[in-house]
Amino acid sequence: MYRNVWPLATVDLVPKDDSEGPVLWIKLGLLTLGEVVIPLFSPRKYVPIDAKNPTTSSPEQIASLGSLLFYGFMEPLIWSAQHLPHLTYDMLSPLANYNRLQNLVGRAFLRMDPTRSKTRSHMGCCAPIADDHGFRQDYGPRGRTRS
């Protein structure tokens, strides 16, 4: 990788294996396909948060990174909503494990409960920013995609 890719990103260096000619470009193409493209579009493994009480997997939990980036996992729901006058509750996909109430309470209740929290600040402005309980993981990517 360092011998062949880095010199292509500079002005004055030449790849070490430049004598291979088109074979070098085939190797780089296969490397890119195997290391970037395939993992980007392969589905993720479903791992329940609570192993004692597993639930059905949500399309959001098993969607590939490319599908998450472009919200492709929601395409069947949007397609059916476009062609039907009303969606019933049964047509919606199941809620992801990490968004279920019992998991949210277990993760954030001590921080959000005003009687147990030691901070005197407002929980709406400080919870997403200064915590160690996963709020940055929840709000960070959403803020970056909306700005």
Side-chain angles (χ1 to χ4, degrees), residues 102-119:
Q102 60 266 27
N103 294 327
L104 291 175
V105 166
R107 189 177 75 192
F109 187 68
L110 293 176
R111 171 81 174 148
M112 302 297 276
D113 186 16
T115 60
R116 294 184 183 187
S117 178
K118 303 293 185 218
T119 61

Side-chain angles (χ1 to χ4, degrees), residues 90-102:
D90 297 335
M91 294 176 164
L92 298 175
S93 59
L95 190 62
N97 283 354
Y98 46 81
N99 286 336
R100 292 193 179 272
L101 182 62
Q102 60 266 27

Side-chain angles (χ1 to χ4, degrees), residues 26-123:
I26 292 171
K27 286 181 182 179
L28 289 175
L30 290 175
L31 179 70
T32 304
L33 180 72
E35 295 295 325
V36 176
V37 176
I38 292 175
L40 188 63
F41 294 106
S42 61
R44 295 181 297 164
K45 182 181 177 184
Y46 169 65
V47 179
I49 290 179
D50 188 9
K52 296 175 185 171
N53 300 321
T55 59
T56 59
S57 65
S58 169
E60 180 182 1
Q61 288 179 291
I62 58 172
S64 67
L65 295 176
S67 180
L68 281 175
L69 181 65
F70 298 112
Y71 292 96
F73 65 93
M74 294 186 69
E75 195 169 305
L77 178 67
I78 294 170
W79 183 259
S80 61
Q82 179 182 358
H83 296 290
L84 294 174
H86 179 70
L87 286 176
T88 63
Y89 179 74
D90 297 335
M91 294 176 164
L92 298 175
S93 59
L95 190 62
N97 283 354
Y98 46 81
N99 286 336
R100 292 193 179 272
L101 182 62
Q102 60 266 27
N103 294 327
L104 291 175
V105 166
R107 189 177 75 192
F109 187 68
L110 293 176
R111 171 81 174 148
M112 302 297 276
D113 186 16
T115 60
R116 294 184 183 187
S117 178
K118 303 293 185 218
T119 61
R120 303 276 304 161
S121 59
H122 190 271
M123 71 176 180

